[in-house]
Amino acid sequence: MDPINTTQITGIWTYLETVDWSDPWFSGLLAFHVVMFGITALTRNNQTLQAVHFIILLMLVYSAESLNELAARYWSVFSKQQYFDSKGLFISLVWSTPLLVNTLIIVMSWILTSSQLMVSAGRLKIEADKRRQAAAQKKEDAKMRKRKAE
């Protein structure tokens, strides 16, 4: 089967329908993305590990152009069809998009964590203010009792 001409593409779904998903290398690619999503999920409570994972994901997205050129040169070694066009549409869809979704999940996780920390800090401040007010009130009450006793 000849590769689809990029001028014939009317939408992402029509383009993806032309892909022969039975190629064995797609299983490896899928496994890779599942592992990346798994690492994203497993590191959600460890900000340092997640930051390292985030940087690695961004580096992998950055390498997409070089990876596309390499895959375009050697596609016949691992694939039945030449998917790797010069504009990078295919590599963007099957490589970069899932990785960027991972980074988006991480950023959303960081925003959620930050907002939870701000709410906790606000509550702690309110509690500290209440304790300070209660202590000041006790002190004032003690002064009043002392004055009445005199």
Side-chain angles (χ1 to χ4, degrees):
M1 180 190 264
D2 293 329
I4 190 168
N5 186 340
T6 54
T7 58
Q8 297 172 337
I9 298 171
T10 57
I12 292 173
W13 296 117
T14 56
Y15 178 66
L16 291 175
E17 287 173 352
T18 65
V19 174
D20 179 12
W21 296 104
S22 65
D23 255 350
W25 73 276
F26 283 121
S27 298
L29 183 65
L30 178 63
F32 170 76
H33 286 307
V34 168
V35 167
M36 291 297 111
F37 278 108
I39 292 171
T40 298
L42 290 173
T43 60
R44 71 185 179 279
N45 294 324
N46 187 327
Q47 299 298 312
T48 305
L49 280 178
Q50 200 165 56
V52 170
H53 179 58
F54 181 81
I55 290 168
I56 290 169
L57 289 171
L58 290 178
M59 288 177 8
L60 289 170
V61 170
Y62 180 77
S63 71
E65 186 177 359
S66 301
L67 187 60
N68 188 55
E69 290 172 10
L70 191 65
R73 196 173 307 133
Y74 298 107
W75 69 270
S76 60
V77 174
F78 61 91
S79 181
K80 296 176 193 168
Q81 294 184 44
Q82 167 37 319
Y83 297 109
F84 305 95
D85 57 293
S86 60
K87 297 193 191 299
L89 176 63
F90 182 75
I91 197 84
S92 295
L93 288 174
V94 301
W95 177 259
S96 297
T97 300
L99 295 174
L100 289 171
V101 168
N102 259 307
T103 60
L104 181 63
I105 291 168
I106 291 171
V107 168
M108 289 174 12
S109 170
W110 288 345
I111 291 170
L112 178 64
T113 301
S114 296
S115 64
Q116 289 171 342
L117 285 172
M118 287 191 299
V119 167
S120 294
R123 285 183 184 148
L124 289 174
K125 185 176 189 264
I126 290 169
E127 289 174 16
D129 287 345
K130 284 181 182 178
R131 281 192 294 262
R132 231 179 279 115
Q133 287 174 352
Q137 186 65 40
K138 270 186 177 180
K139 199 174 186 180
E140 188 66 33
D141 289 347
K143 282 182 185 178
M144 290 290 245
R145 275 187 253 121
K146 187 176 179 183
R147 282 186 206 152
K148 285 183 182 177
E150 293 175 352

